[in-house]
Amino acid sequence: MLYAIVAEDVSDSLALRKSARPAHIARLEALRDAGRIVAAGPNPAIDAEDPGANGFTGSIIIAEFESLEAARAWAGEDPYVAAGVYDRVSVKPFKQVFP
């Protein structure tokens, strides 16, 4: 089943994001390579593709997991969680309608 992982950053998270990004991306690449990602990416803090020093306010990942518990466990082990980037993370089942 698909699950939506929605994370909200702490204030001024850009430096924390930069330090943990390689490990965060490696985990996402593993999901992608397994064919389990529908979409993943950050929320820019401003209305721009590259927010520069303004940074990001959170992230969204929609991916396939065996169960809600597995999705929550995966989300809880994210390097951004360990680095203190995220203030809160929610994981919910997701039903894809489009595309």
mmCIF file with all atom_site columns, all heavy atoms in Angstrom, residues 8-18 21 41-59 80 85:
data_model
loop_
_atom_site.group_PDB
_atom_site.id
_atom_site.type_symbol
_atom_site.label_atom_id
_atom_site.label_alt_id
_atom_site.label_comp_id
_atom_site.label_asym_id
_atom_site.label_entity_id
_atom_site.label_seq_id
_atom_site.pdbx_PDB_ins_code
_atom_site.Cartn_x
_atom_site.Cartn_y
_atom_site.Cartn_z
_atom_site.occupancy
_atom_site.B_iso_or_equiv
_atom_site.pdbx_formal_charge
_atom_site.auth_seq_id
_atom_site.auth_comp_id
_atom_site.auth_asym_id
_atom_site.auth_atom_id
_atom_site.pdbx_PDB_model_num
ATOM 1   N N   . GLU A 1 8  ? 7.412  18.349 8.742  1.00 0.00 ? 8  GLU A N   1
ATOM 2   C CA  . GLU A 1 8  ? 7.543  19.796 8.881  1.00 0.00 ? 8  GLU A CA  1
ATOM 3   C C   . GLU A 1 8  ? 8.867  20.094 9.566  1.00 0.00 ? 8  GLU A C   1
ATOM 4   O O   . GLU A 1 8  ? 9.190  19.512 10.605 1.00 0.00 ? 8  GLU A O   1
ATOM 5   C CB  . GLU A 1 8  ? 6.381  20.358 9.693  1.00 0.00 ? 8  GLU A CB  1
ATOM 6   C CG  . GLU A 1 8  ? 5.051  20.190 8.991  1.00 0.00 ? 8  GLU A CG  1
ATOM 7   C CD  . GLU A 1 8  ? 3.907  20.783 9.777  1.00 0.00 ? 8  GLU A CD  1
ATOM 8   O OE1 . GLU A 1 8  ? 4.091  21.866 10.383 1.00 0.00 ? 8  GLU A OE1 1
ATOM 9   O OE2 . GLU A 1 8  ? 2.831  20.162 9.793  1.00 0.00 ? 8  GLU A OE2 1
ATOM 10  N N   . ASP A 1 9  ? 9.621  21.008 8.973  1.00 0.00 ? 9  ASP A N   1
ATOM 11  C CA  . ASP A 1 9  ? 10.939 21.362 9.496  1.00 0.00 ? 9  ASP A CA  1
ATOM 12  C C   . ASP A 1 9  ? 10.855 22.249 10.741 1.00 0.00 ? 9  ASP A C   1
ATOM 13  O O   . ASP A 1 9  ? 9.873  22.969 10.934 1.00 0.00 ? 9  ASP A O   1
ATOM 14  C CB  . ASP A 1 9  ? 11.733 22.162 8.459  1.00 0.00 ? 9  ASP A CB  1
ATOM 15  C CG  . ASP A 1 9  ? 12.282 21.307 7.337  1.00 0.00 ? 9  ASP A CG  1
ATOM 16  O OD1 . ASP A 1 9  ? 11.814 20.172 7.146  1.00 0.00 ? 9  ASP A OD1 1
ATOM 17  O OD2 . ASP A 1 9  ? 13.189 21.798 6.632  1.00 0.00 ? 9  ASP A OD2 1
ATOM 18  N N   . VAL A 1 10 ? 11.919 22.210 11.517 1.00 0.00 ? 10 VAL A N   1
ATOM 19  C CA  . VAL A 1 10 ? 12.124 23.198 12.570 1.00 0.00 ? 10 VAL A CA  1
ATOM 20  C C   . VAL A 1 10 ? 12.476 24.517 11.878 1.00 0.00 ? 10 VAL A C   1
ATOM 21  O O   . VAL A 1 10 ? 12.788 24.541 10.686 1.00 0.00 ? 10 VAL A O   1
ATOM 22  C CB  . VAL A 1 10 ? 13.268 22.764 13.531 1.00 0.00 ? 10 VAL A CB  1
ATOM 23  C CG1 . VAL A 1 10 ? 12.926 21.471 14.245 1.00 0.00 ? 10 VAL A CG1 1
ATOM 24  C CG2 . VAL A 1 10 ? 14.589 22.651 12.796 1.00 0.00 ? 10 VAL A CG2 1
ATOM 25  N N   . SER A 1 11 ? 12.441 25.607 12.590 1.00 0.00 ? 11 SER A N   1
ATOM 26  C CA  . SER A 1 11 ? 12.850 26.897 12.029 1.00 0.00 ? 11 SER A CA  1
ATOM 27  C C   . SER A 1 11 ? 14.336 26.860 11.690 1.00 0.00 ? 11 SER A C   1
ATOM 28  O O   . SER A 1 11 ? 15.123 26.198 12.373 1.00 0.00 ? 11 SER A O   1
ATOM 29  C CB  . SER A 1 11 ? 12.593 28.020 13.031 1.00 0.00 ? 11 SER A CB  1
ATOM 30  O OG  . SER A 1 11 ? 11.223 28.127 13.297 1.00 0.00 ? 11 SER A OG  1
ATOM 31  N N   . ASP A 1 12 ? 14.694 27.566 10.639 1.00 0.00 ? 12 ASP A N   1
ATOM 32  C CA  . ASP A 1 12 ? 16.102 27.689 10.235 1.00 0.00 ? 12 ASP A CA  1
ATOM 33  C C   . ASP A 1 12 ? 16.782 26.326 10.086 1.00 0.00 ? 12 ASP A C   1
ATOM 34  O O   . ASP A 1 12 ? 17.862 26.098 10.636 1.00 0.00 ? 12 ASP A O   1
ATOM 35  C CB  . ASP A 1 12 ? 16.866 28.565 11.234 1.00 0.00 ? 12 ASP A CB  1
ATOM 36  C CG  . ASP A 1 12 ? 16.280 29.962 11.341 1.00 0.00 ? 12 ASP A CG  1
ATOM 37  O OD1 . ASP A 1 12 ? 15.944 30.548 10.294 1.00 0.00 ? 12 ASP A OD1 1
ATOM 38  O OD2 . ASP A 1 12 ? 16.144 30.455 12.468 1.00 0.00 ? 12 ASP A OD2 1
ATOM 39  N N   . SER A 1 13 ? 16.170 25.446 9.315  1.00 0.00 ? 13 SER A N   1
ATOM 40  C CA  . SER A 1 13 ? 16.662 24.076 9.179  1.00 0.00 ? 13 SER A CA  1
ATOM 41  C C   . SER A 1 13 ? 17.700 23.877 8.078  1.00 0.00 ? 13 SER A C   1
ATOM 42  O O   . SER A 1 13 ? 18.247 22.782 7.933  1.00 0.00 ? 13 SER A O   1
ATOM 43  C CB  . SER A 1 13 ? 15.488 23.144 8.901  1.00 0.00 ? 13 SER A CB  1
ATOM 44  O OG  . SER A 1 13 ? 14.883 23.491 7.659  1.00 0.00 ? 13 SER A OG  1
ATOM 45  N N   . LEU A 1 14 ? 18.000 24.903 7.302  1.00 0.00 ? 14 LEU A N   1
ATOM 46  C CA  . LEU A 1 14 ? 18.825 24.719 6.109  1.00 0.00 ? 14 LEU A CA  1
ATOM 47  C C   . LEU A 1 14 ? 20.190 24.099 6.403  1.00 0.00 ? 14 LEU A C   1
ATOM 48  O O   . LEU A 1 14 ? 20.607 23.163 5.724  1.00 0.00 ? 14 LEU A O   1
ATOM 49  C CB  . LEU A 1 14 ? 18.978 26.041 5.353  1.00 0.00 ? 14 LEU A CB  1
ATOM 50  C CG  . LEU A 1 14 ? 19.632 25.934 3.970  1.00 0.00 ? 14 LEU A CG  1
ATOM 51  C CD1 . LEU A 1 14 ? 18.862 24.963 3.075  1.00 0.00 ? 14 LEU A CD1 1
ATOM 52  C CD2 . LEU A 1 14 ? 19.720 27.310 3.324  1.00 0.00 ? 14 LEU A CD2 1
ATOM 53  N N   . ALA A 1 15 ? 20.886 24.579 7.411  1.00 0.00 ? 15 ALA A N   1
ATOM 54  C CA  . ALA A 1 15 ? 22.212 24.018 7.728  1.00 0.00 ? 15 ALA A CA  1
ATOM 55  C C   . ALA A 1 15 ? 22.096 22.549 8.146  1.00 0.00 ? 15 ALA A C   1
ATOM 56  O O   . ALA A 1 15 ? 22.926 21.711 7.758  1.00 0.00 ? 15 ALA A O   1
ATOM 57  C CB  . ALA A 1 15 ? 22.897 24.837 8.823  1.00 0.00 ? 15 ALA A CB  1
ATOM 58  N N   . LEU A 1 16 ? 21.078 22.234 8.933  1.00 0.00 ? 16 LEU A N   1
ATOM 59  C CA  . LEU A 1 16 ? 20.857 20.844 9.338  1.00 0.00 ? 16 LEU A CA  1
ATOM 60  C C   . LEU A 1 16 ? 20.544 19.968 8.131  1.00 0.00 ? 16 LEU A C   1
ATOM 61  O O   . LEU A 1 16 ? 21.050 18.847 8.011  1.00 0.00 ? 16 LEU A O   1
ATOM 62  C CB  . LEU A 1 16 ? 19.710 20.764 10.349 1.00 0.00 ? 16 LEU A CB  1
ATOM 63  C CG  . LEU A 1 16 ? 19.911 21.460 11.684 1.00 0.00 ? 16 LEU A CG  1
ATOM 64  C CD1 . LEU A 1 16 ? 18.612 21.485 12.475 1.00 0.00 ? 16 LEU A CD1 1
ATOM 65  C CD2 . LEU A 1 16 ? 21.018 20.785 12.468 1.00 0.00 ? 16 LEU A CD2 1
ATOM 66  N N   . ARG A 1 17 ? 19.718 20.480 7.226  1.00 0.00 ? 17 ARG A N   1
ATOM 67  C CA  . ARG A 1 17 ? 19.376 19.753 6.001  1.00 0.00 ? 17 ARG A CA  1
ATOM 68  C C   . ARG A 1 17 ? 20.635 19.454 5.186  1.00 0.00 ? 17 ARG A C   1
ATOM 69  O O   . ARG A 1 17 ? 20.822 18.338 4.702  1.00 0.00 ? 17 ARG A O   1
ATOM 70  C CB  . ARG A 1 17 ? 18.415 20.563 5.126  1.00 0.00 ? 17 ARG A CB  1
ATOM 71  C CG  . ARG A 1 17 ? 16.966 20.392 5.465  1.00 0.00 ? 17 ARG A CG  1
ATOM 72  C CD  . ARG A 1 17 ? 16.102 21.224 4.497  1.00 0.00 ? 17 ARG A CD  1
ATOM 73  N NE  . ARG A 1 17 ? 14.713 20.854 4.665  1.00 0.00 ? 17 ARG A NE  1
ATOM 74  C CZ  . ARG A 1 17 ? 14.104 19.900 3.994  1.00 0.00 ? 17 ARG A CZ  1
ATOM 75  N NH1 . ARG A 1 17 ? 14.746 19.229 3.077  1.00 0.00 ? 17 ARG A NH1 1
ATOM 76  N NH2 . ARG A 1 17 ? 12.835 19.616 4.225  1.00 0.00 ? 17 ARG A NH2 1
ATOM 77  N N   . LYS A 1 18 ? 21.454 20.460 5.003  1.00 0.00 ? 18 LYS A N   1
ATOM 78  C CA  . LYS A 1 18 ? 22.658 20.295 4.188  1.00 0.00 ? 18 LYS A CA  1
ATOM 79  C C   . LYS A 1 18 ? 23.572 19.218 4.761  1.00 0.00 ? 18 LYS A C   1
ATOM 80  O O   . LYS A 1 18 ? 24.143 18.417 4.014  1.00 0.00 ? 18 LYS A O   1
ATOM 81  C CB  . LYS A 1 18 ? 23.404 21.624 4.048  1.00 0.00 ? 18 LYS A CB  1
ATOM 82  C CG  . LYS A 1 18 ? 22.704 22.592 3.111  1.00 0.00 ? 18 LYS A CG  1
ATOM 83  C CD  . LYS A 1 18 ? 23.484 23.880 2.983  1.00 0.00 ? 18 LYS A CD  1
ATOM 84  C CE  . LYS A 1 18 ? 22.816 24.830 2.016  1.00 0.00 ? 18 LYS A CE  1
ATOM 85  N NZ  . LYS A 1 18 ? 23.568 26.087 1.866  1.00 0.00 ? 18 LYS A NZ  1
ATOM 86  N N   . ARG A 1 21 ? 21.793 15.727 4.233  1.00 0.00 ? 21 ARG A N   1
ATOM 87  C CA  . ARG A 1 21 ? 21.205 15.463 2.917  1.00 0.00 ? 21 ARG A CA  1
ATOM 88  C C   . ARG A 1 21 ? 21.777 14.231 2.212  1.00 0.00 ? 21 ARG A C   1
ATOM 89  O O   . ARG A 1 21 ? 21.008 13.433 1.658  1.00 0.00 ? 21 ARG A O   1
ATOM 90  C CB  . ARG A 1 21 ? 21.325 16.687 2.017  1.00 0.00 ? 21 ARG A CB  1
ATOM 91  C CG  . ARG A 1 21 ? 20.550 16.531 0.718  1.00 0.00 ? 21 ARG A CG  1
ATOM 92  C CD  . ARG A 1 21 ? 20.506 17.847 -0.073 1.00 0.00 ? 21 ARG A CD  1
ATOM 93  N NE  . ARG A 1 21 ? 19.533 17.775 -1.141 1.00 0.00 ? 21 ARG A NE  1
ATOM 94  C CZ  . ARG A 1 21 ? 19.777 17.269 -2.344 1.00 0.00 ? 21 ARG A CZ  1
ATOM 95  N NH1 . ARG A 1 21 ? 20.976 16.797 -2.631 1.00 0.00 ? 21 ARG A NH1 1
ATOM 96  N NH2 . ARG A 1 21 ? 18.829 17.229 -3.262 1.00 0.00 ? 21 ARG A NH2 1
ATOM 97  N N   . GLY A 1 41 ? 9.988  15.014 -2.300 1.00 0.00 ? 41 GLY A N   1
ATOM 98  C CA  . GLY A 1 41 ? 10.660 16.293 -2.451 1.00 0.00 ? 41 GLY A CA  1
ATOM 99  C C   . GLY A 1 41 ? 10.363 17.231 -1.299 1.00 0.00 ? 41 GLY A C   1
ATOM 100 O O   . GLY A 1 41 ? 9.496  16.973 -0.473 1.00 0.00 ? 41 GLY A O   1
ATOM 101 N N   . PRO A 1 42 ? 11.122 18.334 -1.254 1.00 0.00 ? 42 PRO A N   1
ATOM 102 C CA  . PRO A 1 42 ? 10.959 19.316 -0.182 1.00 0.00 ? 42 PRO A CA  1
ATOM 103 C C   . PRO A 1 42 ? 9.944  20.397 -0.529 1.00 0.00 ? 42 PRO A C   1
ATOM 104 O O   . PRO A 1 42 ? 9.571  20.572 -1.693 1.00 0.00 ? 42 PRO A O   1
ATOM 105 C CB  . PRO A 1 42 ? 12.363 19.918 -0.067 1.00 0.00 ? 42 PRO A CB  1
ATOM 106 C CG  . PRO A 1 42 ? 12.853 19.905 -1.487 1.00 0.00 ? 42 PRO A CG  1
ATOM 107 C CD  . PRO A 1 42 ? 12.300 18.626 -2.083 1.00 0.00 ? 42 PRO A CD  1
ATOM 108 N N   . ASN A 1 43 ? 9.517  21.113 0.493  1.00 0.00 ? 43 ASN A N   1
ATOM 109 C CA  . ASN A 1 43 ? 8.636  22.274 0.337  1.00 0.00 ? 43 ASN A CA  1
ATOM 110 C C   . ASN A 1 43 ? 9.483  23.536 0.483  1.00 0.00 ? 43 ASN A C   1
ATOM 111 O O   . ASN A 1 43 ? 9.928  23.855 1.590  1.00 0.00 ? 43 ASN A O   1
ATOM 112 C CB  . ASN A 1 43 ? 7.554  22.286 1.412  1.00 0.00 ? 43 ASN A CB  1
ATOM 113 C CG  . ASN A 1 43 ? 6.717  21.033 1.413  1.00 0.00 ? 43 ASN A CG  1
ATOM 114 O OD1 . ASN A 1 43 ? 6.817  20.216 2.320  1.00 0.00 ? 43 ASN A OD1 1
ATOM 115 N ND2 . ASN A 1 43 ? 5.897  20.871 0.409  1.00 0.00 ? 43 ASN A ND2 1
ATOM 116 N N   . PRO A 1 44 ? 9.730  24.271 -0.615 1.00 0.00 ? 44 PRO A N   1
ATOM 117 C CA  . PRO A 1 44 ? 10.496 25.513 -0.502 1.00 0.00 ? 44 PRO A CA  1
ATOM 118 C C   . PRO A 1 44 ? 9.787  26.511 0.420  1.00 0.00 ? 44 PRO A C   1
ATOM 119 O O   . PRO A 1 44 ? 8.557  26.582 0.445  1.00 0.00 ? 44 PRO A O   1
ATOM 120 C CB  . PRO A 1 44 ? 10.545 26.037 -1.940 1.00 0.00 ? 44 PRO A CB  1
ATOM 121 C CG  . PRO A 1 44 ? 10.338 24.824 -2.795 1.00 0.00 ? 44 PRO A CG  1
ATOM 122 C CD  . PRO A 1 44 ? 9.389  23.955 -2.006 1.00 0.00 ? 44 PRO A CD  1
ATOM 123 N N   . ALA A 1 45 ? 10.576 27.274 1.143  1.00 0.00 ? 45 ALA A N   1
ATOM 124 C CA  . ALA A 1 45 ? 10.019 28.258 2.077  1.00 0.00 ? 45 ALA A CA  1
ATOM 125 C C   . ALA A 1 45 ? 9.425  29.468 1.359  1.00 0.00 ? 45 ALA A C   1
ATOM 126 O O   . ALA A 1 45 ? 8.641  30.202 1.953  1.00 0.00 ? 45 ALA A O   1
ATOM 127 C CB  . ALA A 1 45 ? 11.093 28.712 3.065  1.00 0.00 ? 45 ALA A CB  1
ATOM 128 N N   . ILE A 1 46 ? 9.813  29.657 0.108  1.00 0.00 ? 46 ILE A N   1
ATOM 129 C CA  . ILE A 1 46 ? 9.255  30.745 -0.696 1.00 0.00 ? 46 ILE A CA  1
ATOM 130 C C   . ILE A 1 46 ? 8.788  30.165 -2.028 1.00 0.00 ? 46 ILE A C   1
ATOM 131 O O   . ILE A 1 46 ? 9.118  29.027 -2.375 1.00 0.00 ? 46 ILE A O   1
ATOM 132 C CB  . ILE A 1 46 ? 10.271 31.887 -0.931 1.00 0.00 ? 46 ILE A CB  1
ATOM 133 C CG1 . ILE A 1 46 ? 11.508 31.366 -1.670 1.00 0.00 ? 46 ILE A CG1 1
ATOM 134 C CG2 . ILE A 1 46 ? 10.651 32.548 0.384  1.00 0.00 ? 46 ILE A CG2 1
ATOM 135 C CD1 . ILE A 1 46 ? 12.465 32.449 -2.125 1.00 0.00 ? 46 ILE A CD1 1
ATOM 136 N N   . ASP A 1 47 ? 8.051  30.935 -2.765 1.00 0.00 ? 47 ASP A N   1
ATOM 137 C CA  . ASP A 1 47 ? 7.508  30.491 -4.053 1.00 0.00 ? 47 ASP A CA  1
ATOM 138 C C   . ASP A 1 47 ? 8.596  30.554 -5.121 1.00 0.00 ? 47 ASP A C   1
ATOM 139 O O   . ASP A 1 47 ? 8.618  31.455 -5.966 1.00 0.00 ? 47 ASP A O   1
ATOM 140 C CB  . ASP A 1 47 ? 6.316  31.372 -4.426 1.00 0.00 ? 47 ASP A CB  1
ATOM 141 C CG  . ASP A 1 47 ? 5.558  30.840 -5.626 1.00 0.00 ? 47 ASP A CG  1
ATOM 142 O OD1 . ASP A 1 47 ? 5.801  29.689 -6.034 1.00 0.00 ? 47 ASP A OD1 1
ATOM 143 O OD2 . ASP A 1 47 ? 4.716  31.588 -6.158 1.00 0.00 ? 47 ASP A OD2 1
ATOM 144 N N   . ALA A 1 48 ? 9.523  29.595 -5.039 1.00 0.00 ? 48 ALA A N   1
ATOM 145 C CA  . ALA A 1 48 ? 10.641 29.544 -5.976 1.00 0.00 ? 48 ALA A CA  1
ATOM 146 C C   . ALA A 1 48 ? 11.179 28.126 -6.036 1.00 0.00 ? 48 ALA A C   1
ATOM 147 O O   . ALA A 1 48 ? 11.177 27.417 -5.036 1.00 0.00 ? 48 ALA A O   1
ATOM 148 C CB  . ALA A 1 48 ? 11.750 30.499 -5.527 1.00 0.00 ? 48 ALA A CB  1
ATOM 149 N N   . GLU A 1 49 ? 11.617 27.720 -7.219 1.00 0.00 ? 49 GLU A N   1
ATOM 150 C CA  . GLU A 1 49 ? 12.207 26.394 -7.403 1.00 0.00 ? 49 GLU A CA  1
ATOM 151 C C   . GLU A 1 49 ? 13.430 26.223 -6.504 1.00 0.00 ? 49 GLU A C   1
ATOM 152 O O   . GLU A 1 49 ? 13.631 25.184 -5.895 1.00 0.00 ? 49 GLU A O   1
ATOM 153 C CB  . GLU A 1 49 ? 12.586 26.206 -8.876 1.00 0.00 ? 49 GLU A CB  1
ATOM 154 C CG  . GLU A 1 49 ? 13.036 24.838 -9.242 1.00 0.00 ? 49 GLU A CG  1
ATOM 155 C CD  . GLU A 1 49 ? 11.899 23.826 -9.351 1.00 0.00 ? 49 GLU A CD  1
ATOM 156 O OE1 . GLU A 1 49 ? 10.737 24.220 -9.504 1.00 0.00 ? 49 GLU A OE1 1
ATOM 157 O OE2 . GLU A 1 49 ? 12.208 22.634 -9.281 1.00 0.00 ? 49 GLU A OE2 1
ATOM 158 N N   . ASP A 1 50 ? 14.259 27.268 -6.460 1.00 0.00 ? 50 ASP A N   1
ATOM 159 C CA  . ASP A 1 50 ? 15.445 27.260 -5.594 1.00 0.00 ? 50 ASP A CA  1
ATOM 160 C C   . ASP A 1 50 ? 15.282 28.383 -4.575 1.00 0.00 ? 50 ASP A C   1
ATOM 161 O O   . ASP A 1 50 ? 15.465 29.558 -4.902 1.00 0.00 ? 50 ASP A O   1
ATOM 162 C CB  . ASP A 1 50 ? 16.715 27.469 -6.415 1.00 0.00 ? 50 ASP A CB  1
ATOM 163 C CG  . ASP A 1 50 ? 17.976 27.507 -5.558 1.00 0.00 ? 50 ASP A CG  1
ATOM 164 O OD1 . ASP A 1 50 ? 17.888 27.385 -4.320 1.00 0.00 ? 50 ASP A OD1 1
ATOM 165 O OD2 . ASP A 1 50 ? 19.061 27.661 -6.143 1.00 0.00 ? 50 ASP A OD2 1
ATOM 166 N N   . PRO A 1 51 ? 14.933 28.047 -3.332 1.00 0.00 ? 51 PRO A N   1
ATOM 167 C CA  . PRO A 1 51 ? 14.682 29.089 -2.340 1.00 0.00 ? 51 PRO A CA  1
ATOM 168 C C   . PRO A 1 51 ? 15.945 29.715 -1.751 1.00 0.00 ? 51 PRO A C   1
ATOM 169 O O   . PRO A 1 51 ? 15.854 30.615 -0.924 1.00 0.00 ? 51 PRO A O   1
ATOM 170 C CB  . PRO A 1 51 ? 13.889 28.358 -1.262 1.00 0.00 ? 51 PRO A CB  1
ATOM 171 C CG  . PRO A 1 51 ? 14.410 26.965 -1.330 1.00 0.00 ? 51 PRO A CG  1
ATOM 172 C CD  . PRO A 1 51 ? 14.671 26.713 -2.795 1.00 0.00 ? 51 PRO A CD  1
ATOM 173 N N   . GLY A 1 52 ? 17.115 29.222 -2.149 1.00 0.00 ? 52 GLY A N   1
ATOM 174 C CA  . GLY A 1 52 ? 18.367 29.779 -1.643 1.00 0.00 ? 52 GLY A CA  1
ATOM 175 C C   . GLY A 1 52 ? 18.440 29.745 -0.130 1.00 0.00 ? 52 GLY A C   1
ATOM 176 O O   . GLY A 1 52 ? 18.088 28.747 0.500  1.00 0.00 ? 52 GLY A O   1
ATOM 177 N N   . ALA A 1 53 ? 18.855 30.839 0.460  1.00 0.00 ? 53 ALA A N   1
ATOM 178 C CA  . ALA A 1 53 ? 19.037 30.924 1.913  1.00 0.00 ? 53 ALA A CA  1
ATOM 179 C C   . ALA A 1 53 ? 17.721 30.832 2.686  1.00 0.00 ? 53 ALA A C   1
ATOM 180 O O   . ALA A 1 53 ? 17.730 30.605 3.896  1.00 0.00 ? 53 ALA A O   1
ATOM 181 C CB  . ALA A 1 53 ? 19.751 32.216 2.275  1.00 0.00 ? 53 ALA A CB  1
ATOM 182 N N   . ASN A 1 54 ? 16.586 30.979 1.996  1.00 0.00 ? 54 ASN A N   1
ATOM 183 C CA  . ASN A 1 54 ? 15.291 30.850 2.669  1.00 0.00 ? 54 ASN A CA  1
ATOM 184 C C   . ASN A 1 54 ? 15.015 29.417 3.085  1.00 0.00 ? 54 ASN A C   1
ATOM 185 O O   . ASN A 1 54 ? 14.230 29.172 3.994  1.00 0.00 ? 54 ASN A O   1
ATOM 186 C CB  . ASN A 1 54 ? 14.162 31.355 1.771  1.00 0.00 ? 54 ASN A CB  1
ATOM 187 C CG  . ASN A 1 54 ? 14.227 32.841 1.565  1.00 0.00 ? 54 ASN A CG  1
ATOM 188 O OD1 . ASN A 1 54 ? 14.032 33.601 2.493  1.00 0.00 ? 54 ASN A OD1 1
ATOM 189 N ND2 . ASN A 1 54 ? 14.528 33.257 0.352  1.00 0.00 ? 54 ASN A ND2 1
ATOM 190 N N   . GLY A 1 55 ? 15.621 28.465 2.390  1.00 0.00 ? 55 GLY A N   1
ATOM 191 C CA  . GLY A 1 55 ? 15.508 27.063 2.774  1.00 0.00 ? 55 GLY A CA  1
ATOM 192 C C   . GLY A 1 55 ? 14.160 26.442 2.498  1.00 0.00 ? 55 GLY A C   1
ATOM 193 O O   . GLY A 1 55 ? 13.448 26.823 1.566  1.00 0.00 ? 55 GLY A O   1
ATOM 194 N N   . PHE A 1 56 ? 13.811 25.490 3.337  1.00 0.00 ? 56 PHE A N   1
ATOM 195 C CA  . PHE A 1 56 ? 12.622 24.670 3.148  1.00 0.00 ? 56 PHE A CA  1
ATOM 196 C C   . PHE A 1 56 ? 11.812 24.594 4.440  1.00 0.00 ? 56 PHE A C   1
ATOM 197 O O   . PHE A 1 56 ? 12.340 24.828 5.524  1.00 0.00 ? 56 PHE A O   1
ATOM 198 C CB  . PHE A 1 56 ? 13.031 23.268 2.694  1.00 0.00 ? 56 PHE A CB  1
ATOM 199 C CG  . PHE A 1 56 ? 13.815 23.296 1.408  1.00 0.00 ? 56 PHE A CG  1
ATOM 200 C CD1 . PHE A 1 56 ? 15.197 23.392 1.414  1.00 0.00 ? 56 PHE A CD1 1
ATOM 201 C CD2 . PHE A 1 56 ? 13.165 23.254 0.192  1.00 0.00 ? 56 PHE A CD2 1
ATOM 202 C CE1 . PHE A 1 56 ? 15.923 23.442 0.236  1.00 0.00 ? 56 PHE A CE1 1
ATOM 203 C CE2 . PHE A 1 56 ? 13.873 23.306 -1.004 1.00 0.00 ? 56 PHE A CE2 1
ATOM 204 C CZ  . PHE A 1 56 ? 15.253 23.392 -0.981 1.00 0.00 ? 56 PHE A CZ  1
ATOM 205 N N   . THR A 1 57 ? 10.542 24.247 4.294  1.00 0.00 ? 57 THR A N   1
ATOM 206 C CA  . THR A 1 57 ? 9.670  24.149 5.468  1.00 0.00 ? 57 THR A CA  1
ATOM 207 C C   . THR A 1 57 ? 9.259  22.724 5.777  1.00 0.00 ? 57 THR A C   1
ATOM 208 O O   . THR A 1 57 ? 8.603  22.476 6.777  1.00 0.00 ? 57 THR A O   1
ATOM 209 C CB  . THR A 1 57 ? 8.394  24.987 5.272  1.00 0.00 ? 57 THR A CB  1
ATOM 210 O OG1 . THR A 1 57 ? 7.667  24.481 4.137  1.00 0.00 ? 57 THR A OG1 1
ATOM 211 C CG2 . THR A 1 57 ? 8.730  26.451 5.063  1.00 0.00 ? 57 THR A CG2 1
ATOM 212 N N   . GLY A 1 58 ? 9.635  21.799 4.922  1.00 0.00 ? 58 GLY A N   1
ATOM 213 C CA  . GLY A 1 58 ? 9.266  20.413 5.160  1.00 0.00 ? 58 GLY A CA  1
ATOM 214 C C   . GLY A 1 58 ? 9.514  19.565 3.934  1.00 0.00 ? 58 GLY A C   1
ATOM 215 O O   . GLY A 1 58 ? 10.135 20.002 2.967  1.00 0.00 ? 58 GLY A O   1
ATOM 216 N N   . SER A 1 59 ? 9.006  18.335 3.976  1.00 0.00 ? 59 SER A N   1
ATOM 217 C CA  . SER A 1 59 ? 9.163  17.383 2.888  1.00 0.00 ? 59 SER A CA  1
ATOM 218 C C   . SER A 1 59 ? 7.924  16.510 2.767  1.00 0.00 ? 59 SER A C   1
ATOM 219 O O   . SER A 1 59 ? 7.207  16.311 3.757  1.00 0.00 ? 59 SER A O   1
ATOM 220 C CB  . SER A 1 59 ? 10.354 16.454 3.152  1.00 0.00 ? 59 SER A CB  1
ATOM 221 O OG  . SER A 1 59 ? 11.554 17.156 3.306  1.00 0.00 ? 59 SER A OG  1
ATOM 222 N N   . TYR A 1 80 ? 17.205 12.925 8.451  1.00 0.00 ? 80 TYR A N   1
ATOM 223 C CA  . TYR A 1 80 ? 16.716 14.249 8.819  1.00 0.00 ? 80 TYR A CA  1
ATOM 224 C C   . TYR A 1 80 ? 16.096 14.237 10.216 1.00 0.00 ? 80 TYR A C   1
ATOM 225 O O   . TYR A 1 80 ? 16.167 15.239 10.930 1.00 0.00 ? 80 TYR A O   1
ATOM 226 C CB  . TYR A 1 80 ? 15.708 14.768 7.797  1.00 0.00 ? 80 TYR A CB  1
ATOM 227 C CG  . TYR A 1 80 ? 16.305 15.358 6.541  1.00 0.00 ? 80 TYR A CG  1
ATOM 228 C CD1 . TYR A 1 80 ? 15.486 15.862 5.547  1.00 0.00 ? 80 TYR A CD1 1
ATOM 229 C CD2 . TYR A 1 80 ? 17.678 15.437 6.336  1.00 0.00 ? 80 TYR A CD2 1
ATOM 230 C CE1 . TYR A 1 80 ? 16.008 16.419 4.390  1.00 0.00 ? 80 TYR A CE1 1
ATOM 231 C CE2 . TYR A 1 80 ? 18.209 15.989 5.191  1.00 0.00 ? 80 TYR A CE2 1
ATOM 232 C CZ  . TYR A 1 80 ? 17.364 16.480 4.212  1.00 0.00 ? 80 TYR A CZ  1
ATOM 233 O OH  . TYR A 1 80 ? 17.888 17.039 3.070  1.00 0.00 ? 80 TYR A OH  1
ATOM 234 N N   . VAL A 1 85 ? 16.233 17.975 11.781 1.00 0.00 ? 85 VAL A N   1
ATOM 235 C CA  . VAL A 1 85 ? 15.632 18.818 10.737 1.00 0.00 ? 85 VAL A CA  1
ATOM 236 C C   . VAL A 1 85 ? 14.123 18.922 10.917 1.00 0.00 ? 85 VAL A C   1
ATOM 237 O O   . VAL A 1 85 ? 13.546 19.999 10.788 1.00 0.00 ? 85 VAL A O   1
ATOM 238 C CB  . VAL A 1 85 ? 15.946 18.240 9.329  1.00 0.00 ? 85 VAL A CB  1
ATOM 239 C CG1 . VAL A 1 85 ? 15.174 18.994 8.240  1.00 0.00 ? 85 VAL A CG1 1
ATOM 240 C CG2 . VAL A 1 85 ? 17.443 18.277 9.060  1.00 0.00 ? 85 VAL A CG2 1
#
